[in-house]
Amino acid sequence: MTKKSGPTGWREVTTGCVVFRPGSASEYHTGSWRSERPVWDNQKCIKCGICYVFCPEGCVQQTEDGFFKADLDYCKGCGICAHECWPRAIKIVEEG
């Protein structure tokens, strides 16, 4: 049986998931590993924008009619938008 060995020093560790050019983060669609996603109920939404303000990824955007939605290419499903939405217009649902 062959013994597996990892890097012996930090310089041998393969770099991964690093943004090397400023302003290039939009090229990395990071929402694909999400297990849950936000769903808005526009009947309850008062268009306050709290979900937009609190989204740590900046993926919540305002639509032309004033409501909000998440860009699921970047949403990680953390649920902060739903937690901060006091009218409870956002539900976190399991990714299907």
Side-chain angles (χ1 to χ4, degrees):
M1 179 181 239
T2 305
K3 183 180 177 185
K4 293 183 181 180
S5 64
T8 57
W10 68 270
R11 290 189 173 126
E12 296 175 11
V13 175
T14 305
T15 304
C17 299
V18 177
V19 177
F20 291 103
R21 292 179 293 114
S24 66
S26 63
E27 297 171 14
Y28 300 94
H29 294 242
T30 55
S32 62
W33 53 267
R34 165 186 67 249
S35 62
E36 296 178 321
R37 63 184 170 86
V39 175
W40 273 256
D41 179 352
N42 289 344
Q43 298 293 331
K44 294 180 181 178
C45 180
I46 62 170
K47 302 180 183 181
C48 65
I50 292 296
C51 53
Y52 172 85
V53 171
F54 278 92
C55 178
E57 295 300 320
C59 66
V60 175
Q61 302 297 321
Q62 193 168 23
T63 62
E64 288 181 16
D65 56 357
F67 292 107
F68 292 86
K69 68 176 186 173
D71 183 344
L72 297 180
D73 283 338
Y74 303 102
C75 175
K76 311 252 184 329
C78 68
I80 293 173
C81 58
H83 181 268
E84 296 299 328
C85 180
W86 62 269
R88 299 291 172 233
I90 306 170
K91 276 189 176 177
I92 299 296
V93 299
E94 197 170 308
E95 193 69 70

